[in-house]
Amino acid sequence: MRAALFAAAAFAAFSAAAQDTQGRNLAAGCAICHGTAGKPAAGAPVIPLAGLPRDHIATQMRAFRDGTRPATVMHQIAKGYTDAQIEAMAAWFAAQPR
Amino acid sequence: MKRREFLTYAGAVSLAGLAGCATPVPSKARVVVIGGGFGGATAAKYVKLWNPSIDVVLIERDSQYVSCPISNLVLAGYSGMADISHGYEGLRRHGVQVIRDEALAIDAARKSVRLASGSDIGYERLIVSPGIDFTFNDVQGYEAAMNEGRVLHAWKAGAQTVALRRQLEGLRDGGVVLLSIPTAPYRCPPGPYERASMIAAYLKQAKPRSKLIVLDANPDVTSKPGLFKAAWKDLYSGVLEYRGNAKAIGVDAKTMTVKLEVEDVKGDVLNVVPPHRAGNIAMQAGLITTNNRWCDVDWRTMESKKVPGIHVLGDATLSAPGMPKSGSMANNHAKIAAAAIIELLAGRAPSDMKILNTCYSFVSEKEAIRVSSVHQWDAGQGTLVAVKGSGGVSAARSEAEGTFAWNWARTIWADSLG
């Protein structure tokens, strides 16, 4: 029983790490406009994604994707990502220091 | 370029050069990177960022990176060399050992790189991000004319960017500039058309009786054609003349002529971009797989399909379908390689990645246009393909896109080198 619980916990930790790596890898693409780890330069005309609430990032990405939030570019980028990928990126950005 | 700015640029070069020479070459490193452009610099930084315990050595022959993006604005006088020149201090702060040297040869069997200084450096994983070199012989008379300064490519930003700007400044009002574009694929698909826009903007403003003739080896504008042609019609009518199917096969420095297959065209300034291929070290190392020009890779890891243990990035790669040779792509290739190499060194399987491209082009001093795409691994096709329904171009040219274009440039410089 104890061994099974331990295995489950280890698996959960492994899954969390894998999801974190997935989020990190997906989010890396955003850095060309939003800055390394979601930190743009001071005064940049883009939103700093580091440390933003996870739900806010995910909601906005879906709004770009669905066309309910107008954009110059993000409507075209957001269409490239699934819900699961948006969640993974949002979780990773939310966990980054501002 | 203003004199003061030139002095700053020259000063920065010599200081960074001294710093580079002081770094001793280690006998080996787990990851060695050849080439400190958008691909190589980003790869070196991200391996350290994602796993600081891995030692990373970057071999770069120049003391500064001079960015091709924004270099077309330097030609028009809207930006300067200081803006586009970036040192390697940022990478050193991340713990990357930056060695100023040139990789001359790779011994893949011994997993070792021979440097111009005479040292050898061993590696577990090698990243080769060599950019391009030109196949000058495709344009008869080119190399001799270039060495006399009679024809320039300025397709690697740096000394030729400065020289071309000087030639444009020296042009008499009423003179003719020729801009010749090679057959695709070449570095930066929209780059030549941005350059045409910037040269036309300068002529219109400073030498209004002059003319730019664009000689394109391709049948039509290869990137953002609708947006470029609308800008040219609205802004540069009478200044910019575009000719498709106009492939340069030779240049004559004496008569300042570009020879096409069917006719000769004379100009006062000759900006001829010759065809190119993966950089010389890729050729030396036997990494080239296709058309004697490009290096095919496994897009899950960027590992060469020909030489195991070597990952190839950037313009040197045989581009996946719909993928441009761009700075954004090289930066993203680097992240695929960094993530994969960290997993491979740990004995784990790399996971699939998804990468994105965004390329801005200026069409006037303040207005820009853009193209974007998202690419993901397709197991069936065995390559990266554009995600259906994603990507596209700007609705119209705008100053807002111009603001985002400058943000992109400053941010990708910082993400790659900062």
Side-chain angles (χ1 to χ4, degrees), chain B residues 333-352:
Chain B
H333 295 168
K335 291 162 183 173
I336 294 180
I341 286 170
I342 289 167
E343 297 305 309
L344 290 167
L345 288 176
R348 296 186 298 255
S351 52
D352 293 355

Side-chain angles (χ1 to χ4, degrees), chain A residues 21 24-26 28-37 40 44-46 72-73 75-77 79-82 85 92, chain B residues 45-46 49-50 328 331-332 335 339 351 353-354 356 358 370 372 374 389-393 401 404 407-408 411-412 415:
Chain A
T21 302
R24 180 200 77 182
N25 289 353
L26 288 164
C30 312
I32 57 174
C33 292
H34 287 273
T36 306
V46 294
T72 60
V73 56
H75 58 306
Q76 295 173 355
I77 301 281
K79 287 191 179 75
Y81 298 89
T82 64
Q85 290 166 342
W92 189 83
Chain B
K45 170 175 164 174
Y46 271 75
L49 210 56
W50 288 343
S328 288
N331 170 289
N332 273 261
K335 291 162 183 173
S351 52
M353 285 190 60
K354 189 170 248 188
L356 65 90
T358 288
R370 174 196 47 79
S372 303
V374 182
S390 74
V393 300
E401 290 284 53
F404 288 124
N407 176 66
W408 171 89
T411 310
I412 197 170
D415 186 47

Side-chain angles (χ1 to χ4, degrees), chain B residues 183-202:
Chain B
T183 309
Y186 53 82
R187 161 177 279 180
C188 189
Y193 312 109
E194 179 189 63
R195 175 166 296 180
S197 307
M198 291 296 96
I199 292 175
Y202 172 68

Side-chain angles (χ1 to χ4, degrees), chain B residues 37-95:
Chain B
F38 283 119
T42 306
K45 170 175 164 174
Y46 271 75
V47 170
K48 284 308 275 186
L49 210 56
W50 288 343
N51 189 337
S53 73
I54 296 174
D55 53 330
V56 179
V57 170
L58 173 74
I59 311 294
E60 166 55 47
R61 64 186 164 203
D62 292 324
S63 60
Q64 285 207 305
Y65 180 60
V66 186
S67 165
C68 282
I70 304 297
S71 70
N72 286 328
L73 277 71
V74 175
L75 299 178
Y78 300 147
S79 183
M81 293 303 285
D83 289 336
I84 63 171
S85 304
H86 303 270
Y88 291 99
E89 307 76 36
L91 291 184
R92 290 193 174 98
R93 279 197 295 275
H94 286 287

Side-chain angles (χ1 to χ4, degrees), chain B residues 134-367:
Chain B
F134 298 101
T135 52
F136 291 122
N137 290 341
D138 290 338
V139 183
Q140 202 186 6
Y142 192 97
E143 214 167 351
M146 181 184 76
N147 291 338
E148 290 170 30
R150 304 283 278 177
V151 62
L152 296 166
H153 54 76
W155 215 243
K156 293 182 182 185
Q160 288 218 3
T161 311
V162 176
L164 182 55
R165 170 64 182 163
R166 287 210 180 112
Q167 289 191 3
L168 291 170
E169 285 179 308
L171 180 74
R172 69 185 164 87
D173 193 5
V176 174
V177 180
L178 302 181
L179 168 58
S180 158
I181 305 168
T183 309
Y186 53 82
R187 161 177 279 180
C188 189
Y193 312 109
E194 179 189 63
R195 175 166 296 180
S197 307
M198 291 296 96
I199 292 175
Y202 172 68
L203 296 181
K204 183 180 169 181
Q205 169 200 317
K207 319 196 180 220
R209 293 190 295 130
S210 307
K211 197 169 167 182
L212 167 68
I213 303 174
V214 180
L215 303 169
D216 194 343
N218 301 287
D220 196 2
V221 173
T222 61
S223 174
K224 300 175 259 192
L227 290 163
F228 273 116
K229 286 195 268 191
W232 295 347
K233 184 163 171 278
D234 295 348
L235 303 172
Y236 308 122
S237 147
V239 179
L240 190 161
E241 180 190 327
Y242 176 82
R243 298 186 198 169
N245 291 316
K247 182 179 173 181
I249 55 168
V251 292
D252 186 334
K254 279 198 188 71
T255 56
M256 291 298 279
T257 302
V258 174
K259 293 169 186 291
L260 307 179
E261 279 158 329
V262 287
E263 58 171 330
D264 293 352
V265 187
K266 272 180 189 291
D268 300 290
V269 172
L270 307 188
N271 181 197
V272 176
V273 181
H276 28 281
R277 56 161 168 77
N280 288 336
I281 188 69
M283 174 162 268
Q284 185 287 326
L287 297 166
I288 291 180
T289 56
T290 309
N291 297 334
N292 293 320
R293 292 188 189 272
W294 311 116
C295 308
D296 201 4
V297 296
D298 181 331
W299 288 99
R300 293 168 295 188
T301 59
M302 305 305 297
E303 189 166 5
S304 166
K305 283 200 177 165
K306 221 169 140 196
V307 187
I310 303 182
H311 302 250
V312 186
L313 313 179
D315 294 346
T317 57
L318 174 67
S319 305
M323 179 183 284
K325 297 188 182 298
S326 72
S328 288
M329 282 283 85
N331 170 289
N332 273 261
H333 295 168
K335 291 162 183 173
I336 294 180
I341 286 170
I342 289 167
E343 297 305 309
L344 290 167
L345 288 176
R348 296 186 298 255
S351 52
D352 293 355
M353 285 190 60
K354 189 170 248 188
I355 60 175
L356 65 90
N357 184 67
T358 288
C359 294
Y360 290 93
S361 308
F362 280 87
V363 291
S364 67
E365 182 177 2
K366 305 264 188 226
E367 295 169 307

Side-chain angles (χ1 to χ4, degrees), chain A residues 7-93:
Chain A
F11 180 75
F14 174 77
S15 302
Q19 201 200 14
D20 187 53
T21 302
Q22 190 204 8
R24 180 200 77 182
N25 289 353
L26 288 164
C30 312
I32 57 174
C33 292
H34 287 273
T36 306
K39 285 189 281 291
V46 294
I47 293 162
L49 297 169
L52 272 190
R54 173 185 176 157
D55 286 351
H56 178 72
I57 299 174
T59 307
Q60 295 310 304
M61 275 293 277
R62 281 193 293 268
F64 284 131
R65 196 182 58 188
D66 304 340
T68 51
R69 180 172 169 183
T72 60
V73 56
M74 280 310 299
H75 58 306
Q76 295 173 355
I77 301 281
K79 287 191 179 75
Y81 298 89
T82 64
D83 281 333
Q85 290 166 342
I86 286 173
E87 285 299 332
M89 282 191 278
W92 189 83
F93 277 125

